[in-house]
């Protein structure tokens, strides 16, 4: 195993502490595997390796000396564009499959097949139903649920090419819908958009890089549709997040409790685990865990239960192996996406039970429990009982829990932000936000989204860029593993606002926080949810754009994925660009082998859509470039302050 300087791996002190344990015990982690992978292939890094057919892999010489065409005749631009579109399609498939799962649960609930679920946020359900054109007045709740689920599933089934997906059509501002419609970018069917992306990128199909990238943007918008429906229906089912105070980092693992981590993305099981955990406390205590059951979150399932129920977040994506190394994690429950297949290998060295729960997402070496919504509570209880059993096999001599936690004030859904603003102006909640953008107290808004990547010291770029922008009075929103990074680093606290916000931003966050009853400012970084919840930021931007009568591309809004890693992050960045948002990437995407594609996603995208990618690996320069983009938008709106 490659020896690591743990301090360069992560900026999270708890992760550094656990990495030393991994090193001492010769246990592989993502970081040691990253070291073993060096040097990484230059052809793959630049996007110039084509693996689409069995004649390959074909490689294009980036310097123009060797081969310039694959065996089929594809040039560098076609190769790069095809692979990029395939990444977008995979990201869209992942988010939308999650969304379909939630929509089917809604349908089955309305049919009376699910007894462990209910509509916890009726108000949200009715708002969303009305927005999508479902009649609500005087109708039975389950009839509305049924119609909303049917309408949602239509976005996966519609065969009329000219009828755009319902959720997009009902949610985006009119000028943006028109622009996207005129360019032929509005998808009619999520599944079809994914299938068409795979089809057009097959050998011998679309070989025009511009046409390919436009097709990619269409599937990216299908991804947004899938994210919107996943978020909104999950809110109706499990509750819309409201501000709640909780804790984060590995110190949330308790020595005297049965610790159960939920990891992945989909709240259908994890929410039920949170519900039933208290019922099994006595069994845990009887097994010797005097503090009962302790549910903790990892990655985006962690974010889901954190923003809705205040469940403490142990860590984000990259350090998901490390809770096992504390010797006090009794079970890790996995659902879908961003789950390391190495977890059972790490767990083999301890007593931790690794439990997969989705039949499409099994891992060799893990225990599989086939989760069925119709038996949700029963399945959840069996899982927690496995953790109680595992607890009995702990080796107390191996327990090392970092004594590191941070407070985190989380749960800033769009509705929660609007509700906080309404305490200042009930009649027109967005007006205080507009006023403060116009007077310069808030220069603009940045959404941090995306993952961790071993190419960057974990979380460090998030922290550096957010501090730099907050100091310049930029309001900071975060989702997914970005949110995890800020929670662990103590940047979702009132103290962080006092310490890092510029004077204008601080005054606004203080006025809103105090008026909303938080007894101090809003936290510096507002946690909007998991990575699928990036759609919440779109909802906020849409509300602002509609209020001002402008397009999203006119707003002083930027997005940033400083440590982007997954295909989901690629597709999120792509729809952000399609919506007109300047979007920073701190990881160099595998497109630099093609000037044509690089130009398409920067200059051409900007001309056509207003949005564009900013690729910058240096955090300070990235902050400068994003701030400049914000200033440009302010100038465009005629705001001089
Ligand atoms: S989990 S997509 S590593 S944000 Fe949503 Fe984190 Fe990125 Fe997965």
């Amino acid at each position: 195993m490659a020896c690591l300087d743990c301090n360069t791996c992560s900026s999270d002190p708890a992760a550094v502490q656990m990495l030393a344990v991994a090193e001492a015990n010769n246990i592989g982690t993502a970081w040691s595997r990253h070291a073993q992978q060096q040097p990484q292939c230059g052809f793959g890094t630049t996007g110039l390796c084509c693996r689409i057919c069995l004649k390959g892999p074909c490689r294009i010489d980036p310097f123009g000396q060797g081969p310039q065409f694959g065996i089929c005749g594809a040039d560098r631009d076609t190769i790069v564009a095809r692979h990029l579109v395939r990444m977008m399609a995979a990201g869209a498939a992942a988010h939308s499959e999650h969304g379909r799962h939630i929509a089917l649960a809604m349908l089955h609930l309305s049919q009376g097949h699910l007894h462990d679920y209910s509509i916890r946020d009726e108000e949200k359900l009715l708002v969303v139903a009305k927005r999508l054109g479902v009649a609500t007045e005087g109708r039975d709740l389950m009839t509305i649920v049924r119609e909303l689920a049917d309408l949602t599933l239509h976005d996966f089934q519609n065969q009329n090419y000219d009828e755009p997906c319902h959720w997009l059509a009902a949610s985006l501002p009119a000028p943006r819908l028109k622009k996207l419609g005129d360019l032929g970018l509005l998808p009619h069917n999520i599944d079809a958009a994914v299938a068409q992306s795979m089809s057009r990128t097959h050998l011998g199909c679309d070989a025009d890089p511009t046409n390919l990238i436009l097709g990619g943007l269409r599937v990216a918008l299908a991804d947004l549709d899938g994210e919107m429906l996943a978020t909104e229906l999950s809110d109706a089912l499990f509750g819309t997040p409201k501000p709640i105070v909780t804790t984060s980092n590995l110190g949330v693992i308790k020595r005297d409790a049965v610790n159960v981590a939920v990891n992945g993305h989909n709240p259908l099981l994890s929410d039920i685990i949170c519900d039933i955990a208290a019922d099994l406390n006595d069994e845990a205590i009887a097994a010797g865990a005097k503090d009962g059951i302790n549910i903790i979150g990892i990655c985006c399932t962690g974010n889901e239960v954190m923003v809705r129920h205040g469940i403490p977040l142990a860590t984000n994506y990259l350090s998901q192996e490390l809770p096992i190394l504390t010797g006090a994690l009794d079970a890790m429950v996995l659902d879908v996406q961003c789950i390391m297949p190495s977890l059972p290998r790490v767990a083999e060295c301890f007593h931790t039970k690794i439990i997969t729960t989705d039949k499409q997402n099994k891992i060799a070496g893990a225990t599989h429990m086939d989760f069925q919504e119709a038996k949700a509570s029963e399945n959840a209880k069996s899982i927690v009982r496995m953790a109680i059993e595992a607890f009995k096999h702990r080796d107390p001599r191996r327990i090392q829990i970092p004594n590191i936690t941070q407070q985190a004030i989380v749960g800033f859904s769009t509705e929660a932000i609007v509700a906080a603003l309404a305490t200042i102006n009930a009649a027109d909640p967005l007006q205080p936000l507009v006023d403060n953008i116009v007077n310069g107290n808030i220069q603009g808004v940045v959404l941090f989204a995306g993952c961790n990547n071993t190419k960057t010291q974990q979380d460090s770029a998030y922290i550096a860029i957010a501090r730099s922008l907050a100091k310049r009075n930029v309001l900071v929103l975060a989702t997914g593993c970005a949110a995890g990074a800020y929670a662990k680093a103590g940047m979702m606290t009132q103290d962080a606002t006092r310490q890092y916000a510029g004077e204008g931003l601080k005054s606004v966050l203080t006025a809103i926080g105090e008026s909303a009853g938080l007894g101090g400012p809003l936290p510096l970084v507002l946690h909007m949810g998991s990575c699928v919840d990036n759609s919440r930021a779109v909802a906020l931007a849409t509300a602002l754009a509609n209020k001002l009568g402008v397009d999203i591309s006119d707003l002083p809004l930027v997005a940033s994925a400083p440590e982007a890693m997954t295909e989901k992050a690629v597709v999120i960045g792509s729809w952000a660009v399609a919506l007109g948002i300047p979007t920073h990437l701190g990881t160099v995407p595998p497109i630099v082998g093609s000037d044509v594609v690089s130009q398409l996603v920067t200059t051409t995208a900007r001309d056509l859509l207003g949005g564009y990618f900013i690729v910058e690996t240096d955090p300070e320069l990235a902050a400068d470039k994003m701030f400049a983009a914000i200033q440009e938008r302010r100038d465009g709106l005629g705001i001089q302050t």
Side-chain angles (χ1 to χ4, degrees), residues 327-331 347 349-353 390-395:
L329 185 70
D330 303 299
C349 311
F350 293 86
H351 71 291
T352 313
K353 196 92 180 160
F391 170 86
K392 296 176 189 165
H393 301 284
R394 265 193 202 175
D395 180 349

Side-chain angles (χ1 to χ4, degrees), residues 265 299-300 317 338 450-451 480-481 531 565-566 568:
H265 281 78
C299 210
C300 278
Y317 166 77
C338 302
C451 327
C481 291
C531 51
M565 180 267 303
T566 60
K568 289 183 293 169

Side-chain angles (χ1 to χ4, degrees), residues 465-522:
I465 301 174
R467 283 185 189 168
S468 177
L469 288 176
K471 199 170 171 184
R472 291 183 252 186
N473 298 310
V474 176
L475 179 66
V476 183
L477 312 175
T479 58
C481 291
Y486 295 124
K488 288 187 298 167
M491 289 177 70
M492 291 176 166
T493 59
Q494 296 180 324
D495 277 351
T497 304
R498 294 182 189 108
Q499 196 175 345
Y500 300 114
E503 288 310 314
L505 179 64
K506 197 184 300 177
S507 68
V508 180
L509 294 180
T510 304
I512 300 172
E514 283 177 353
S515 157
L518 290 183
L522 292 179

Side-chain angles (χ1 to χ4, degrees), residues 190-219:
I190 296 169
D191 286 349
V194 172
Q196 286 161 353
S197 299
M198 296 309 286
S199 161
R200 74 193 305 158
T201 54
H202 186 275
L203 172 105
C205 295
D206 199 352
D208 175 340
T210 307
N211 204 40
L212 278 161
I213 295 301
L214 287 172
L217 292 179
R218 193 174 157 99
V219 80

Side-chain angles (χ1 to χ4, degrees), residues 246-576:
T246 182
T247 46
S248 179
N249 219 329
L250 289 174
V252 302
I253 296 172
K254 293 182 183 167
R255 178 178 281 269
D256 294 319
V258 172
N259 293 295
V260 183
V262 290
N263 182 7
H265 281 78
N266 192 327
L268 280 170
L269 169 61
S270 51
D271 221 89
I272 303 290
I273 289 182
C274 296
D275 281 350
I276 60 96
D279 299 348
L280 299 180
N281 260 340
D282 288 346
E283 289 181 36
I285 292 165
K290 69 178 169 58
D291 290 341
I293 310 281
N294 182 36
I295 308 294
I296 55 171
I298 295 177
C299 210
C300 278
T301 294
N303 284 319
E304 294 274 351
V305 291
M306 184 188 213
V307 294
R308 292 206 175 88
H309 309 302
I311 296 294
L313 184 80
T315 199
N316 50 355
Y317 166 77
L318 196 52
S319 35
Q320 64 182 268
E321 297 163 306
L322 305 185
I324 300 170
L325 298 173
T326 63
L329 185 70
D330 303 299
M332 195 187 294
V333 187
L334 310 173
D335 51 77
V336 295
Q337 302 167 21
C338 302
I339 293 160
M340 291 186 184
S342 56
L343 291 169
R345 285 197 297 276
V346 179
E348 248 173 31
C349 311
F350 293 86
H351 71 291
T352 313
K353 196 92 180 160
I354 303 292
I355 305 159
T356 55
T357 59
D358 183 298
K359 53 173 131 354
Q360 292 178 45
N361 292 263
K362 296 184 180 180
I363 303 176
T367 300
H368 186 72
M369 145 73 70
D370 199 24
F371 171 64
Q372 294 167 13
E373 287 87 37
K375 297 181 185 166
S377 286
E378 190 186 319
N379 289 168
K381 279 185 182 161
S382 302
I383 285 169
V384 174
R385 287 194 172 113
M386 283 188 215
I388 295 171
E389 188 52 38
F391 170 86
K392 296 176 189 165
H393 301 284
R394 265 193 202 175
D395 180 349
R397 292 163 305 177
R398 298 190 71 194
I399 296 177
Q400 302 184 58
I401 306 170
N403 186 20
I404 297 173
T405 55
Q406 290 284 355
Q407 186 200 62
I409 307 171
V410 303
F412 291 93
S413 57
T414 311
E415 290 83 350
I417 293 173
V418 172
L421 289 164
T423 62
I424 293 182
N425 183 341
D428 191 357
L430 290 176
Q431 193 58 43
L433 188 55
V434 171
D435 291 343
N436 281 291
I437 290 174
V438 171
N439 71 21
N441 278 337
I442 294 177
Q443 290 289 312
V445 182
V446 58
L447 167 68
F448 285 97
C451 327
N452 290 138
N453 191 320
T454 41
K455 292 176 176 170
T456 307
Q457 184 196 35
Q458 186 190 19
D459 301 342
S460 62
Y462 285 116
I463 294 164
I465 301 174
R467 283 185 189 168
S468 177
L469 288 176
K471 199 170 171 184
R472 291 183 252 186
N473 298 310
V474 176
L475 179 66
V476 183
L477 312 175
T479 58
C481 291
Y486 295 124
K488 288 187 298 167
M491 289 177 70
M492 291 176 166
T493 59
Q494 296 180 324
D495 277 351
T497 304
R498 294 182 189 108
Q499 196 175 345
Y500 300 114
E503 288 310 314
L505 179 64
K506 197 184 300 177
S507 68
V508 180
L509 294 180
T510 304
I512 300 172
E514 283 177 353
S515 157
L518 290 183
L522 292 179
L524 184 73
V525 180
L526 302 182
H527 191 326
M528 294 196 101
S530 67
C531 51
V532 93
D533 294 334
N534 283 305
S535 53
R536 297 190 197 281
V538 176
L540 186 62
T542 298
L544 261 181
N546 287 343
K547 175 168 174 59
L548 297 172
V550 300
D551 196 352
I552 292 176
S553 56
D554 298 314
L555 299 173
L557 166 66
V558 292
S560 174
E563 302 177 23
M565 180 267 303
T566 60
E567 292 160 317
K568 289 183 293 169
V570 171
V571 80
I572 289 168
S574 303
W575 61 244

